[in-house]
């Protein structure tokens, strides 16, 4: 296990550091293989069989087959490599960005957000900030349920515990 990093507290951030590189090596090598037309043809014929060439974890394999773009990043995927799979599927970077937003954002919404300067900083500076925000009863109705956020999970549990007395 690696030491904690400052960026571990930034919500929605999946830094491709040394640990992520080691974790996602086979996932990324699969994605890189899609640079070759012959590999794309074989993958297109039987995706699951093609993935057998790469000793990915079950979670990585499932993320590829279900096109869980954000999941691939969480499992060590590098955005530049995983985008090769998105291109294979005929997606643009805006499609992939919307899919990776984690909140069912449409491509048009994503494009508009980026043209307006990106996601606002308020409420997005740290997971600690999220915990403080969602710990207030008046903010619990705004909880959007990022199931993969430890802070959001704790906030949801607290909301449930509070509701149950």
């Amino acid at each position: 296990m690696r030491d904690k990093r400052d960026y571990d507290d930034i919500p929605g951030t999946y830094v491709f550091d040394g640990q992520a590189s080691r974790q996602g090596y086979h996932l990324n090598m699969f994605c890189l293989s899609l640079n070759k037309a012959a590999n794309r043809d074989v993958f297109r014929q039987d995706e699951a069989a093609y993935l057998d060439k790469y000793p990915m974890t079950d979670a990585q394999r499932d993320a590829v087959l279900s096109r869980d773009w954000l999941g691939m990043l969480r499992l060590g995927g590098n955005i530049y490599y995983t985008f090769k799979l998105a291109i294979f599927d005929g997606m643009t970077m805006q499609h992939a960005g919307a899919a990776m937003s984690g909140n069912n954002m449409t491509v048009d919404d994503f494009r508009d957000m980026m043209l307006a300067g990106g996601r606002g900083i308020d409420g997005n500076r740290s997971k600690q900030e999220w915990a403080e925000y969602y710990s207030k009863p008046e903010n619990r109705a705004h909880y959007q349920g990022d199931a993969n956020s430890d802070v959001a999970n704790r906030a949801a549990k607290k909301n449930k515990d509070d509701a149950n007395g």
Side-chain angles (χ1 to χ4, degrees), residues 51 54-65 75:
L51 292 179
Y54 300 90
M56 290 185 260
T57 66
D58 288 342
Q60 289 169 331
R61 182 183 174 90
D62 291 345
V64 169
L65 293 173
L75 296 166

Side-chain angles (χ1 to χ4, degrees), residues 14-16 20-21 23-25 27-28 31 60 69 71-82:
Y14 306 98
V15 175
F16 191 73
S21 176
Q23 177 188 12
Y25 179 79
L27 168 61
N28 292 313
C31 292
Q60 289 169 331
W69 304 105
M72 286 184 247
L73 296 184
R74 289 180 177 125
L75 296 166
N78 178 297
I79 183 65
Y80 297 105
Y81 291 125
T82 57

Side-chain angles (χ1 to χ4, degrees), residues 38-51:
N39 291 340
R40 292 191 299 271
D41 291 341
V42 174
F43 181 62
R44 190 173 289 110
Q45 290 172 7
D46 187 343
E47 292 185 2
Y50 185 81
L51 292 179

Side-chain angles (χ1 to χ4, degrees), residues 7-25:
Y7 51 76
D8 289 340
D9 192 43
I10 303 170
T13 301
Y14 306 98
V15 175
F16 191 73
D17 60 7
Q19 179 183 355
S21 176
R22 288 184 295 279
Q23 177 188 12
Y25 179 79

Side-chain angles (χ1 to χ4, degrees), residues 99-156:
M100 291 178 192
S101 70
N103 61 5
N104 298 316
M105 184 177 282
T106 68
V107 175
D108 289 338
D109 289 343
F110 180 79
R111 185 180 306 118
D112 292 345
M113 178 187 71
M114 297 309 291
L115 288 171
R119 188 169 283 145
I121 189 75
D122 290 339
N124 288 308
R125 287 184 283 256
S126 73
K127 292 177 184 176
Q128 178 61 38
E129 186 178 86
W130 279 9
E132 291 167 7
Y133 178 85
Y134 289 119
S135 69
K136 297 175 185 174
E138 65 271 18
N139 296 330
R140 291 183 187 156
H142 300 127
Y143 173 66
Q144 293 182 356
D146 177 355
N148 292 299
S149 166
D150 292 336
V151 172
N153 285 333
R154 287 194 304 269

